[in-house]
Amino acid sequence: MPRRTPGAADQMLIDHADAAGVRVTASQLERWRAGGLLPRNTQRPLGRGRGSTSVPAPGAAELVQFLGREARAGRRPHDLALRAFDAGLSVPDSAVRAALAATISRIRLQAEDELSAVGADRSDWAWEVAERELGRHRRGVLMPRRMRRIDERLAKVLSWSHESIARYDRGPAVPDPMSARDVDALSVATMLGGGEELGGPVMAAMLRAMSPDGAALPIASMLEYEDNPDLTQIGDEAGFTMVPAGDMREALLRVVEQAEPAELRLAWEAAGAQRGWALQLTADVEAELDSGQLGPAALLWCMGSTIGLHRLTVRTVLRERRPTLASRASDTVMLLYTARALRVLRQAIPDGQFGLLPVIVPQYMHELIGVMTPPGFDPLQQMLGATANPTVS
């Protein structure tokens, strides 16, 4: 069947690309639209009863140039959508959502197919899958060596259990610490089984396992001993819960579907900044230790080790040697989920100490979660009870 002659709007796109040295055909435009990568042309009234004419959607010309350069055999449309989104082009929101969702949908463990969940207790099945899956892999290290080395050097000059913080930690409720394998198994079981696997004491044990030796952890103590609300019951009217029941992947897919376009952009940008932020913090702490004069980086490192998300971010980044487009997409989804959870928590506990969010949450997430550091706010010195510029021996 012969191809139809491109309409005036499509011809404008083809000519615009050709002027930039990019060859594009009408059939390519059709495929990109069918795949959701290219928005449809819009109608513009001619005025005075003369009807309307078809024109390219705003930003379509630049997007077509990009697709013409980047589209090639073997490159998935979802990857093209994310690359175009990263370049700031007007790729349809639906294409971005589909690409992010595909990243989550591709997470599938071999043991899931080997062990049927039909008729089984979901919690038992989740743990069985986790144990079988981990049995295939070499035993991992819980914390990267670079982090452990920094912790050891800092422990020589300051306390991980300063009295200003230690008084809020009653100590671990479970004497046996979690191993790297325990943490990995818990992560898999939680992904498959949801909130039932992640009670307060379990979360506390995981936090303690990832913290420096002897560190005081008020948050862990609160999870272990306080009468905390069930996080699976804290949610919003759209069906979101802090810790979902059932398959975590389904909850992540819902977050992607419900996110506003501006949230998608902010989360994507935050995911892109995450690696640079973590590597810079790590390098800055090492530089302060080498100079013999500790400063803001060391204080932030210490604070993140006792009360913030900083340590988990650094761990994630240092464990990933070569970041990929897929890893940035999965980080974007997790940041969307974290931001949503924090918003729900702030609504559920309006008298919570959320004024500390600027220091508990890494800076690259601030715009995404809607908090800014107040002028003159310096909780690091105050909460650590540390003197300015401690000297390293």
Side-chain angles (χ1 to χ4, degrees), residues 200-220:
V202 175
M203 292 175 65
M206 184 172 66
L207 289 175
R208 291 190 186 279
M210 294 183 180
S211 299
D213 292 340
L217 296 175
I219 289 181

Side-chain angles (χ1 to χ4, degrees), residues 111 115 123-133:
L115 300 169
S123 178
D124 293 342
W125 172 79
W127 280 101
E128 190 175 354
V129 169
E131 291 298 331
R132 178 174 292 196
E133 194 68 28

Side-chain angles (χ1 to χ4, degrees), residues 127 178 186-187 189-190 193-204 206 230-232 243:
W127 280 101
M178 273 190 171
L186 175 62
S187 299
T190 301
E196 294 181 0
E197 315 307 325
L198 205 60
V202 175
M203 292 175 65
M206 184 172 66
D230 183 356
L231 296 182
T232 63
V243 180

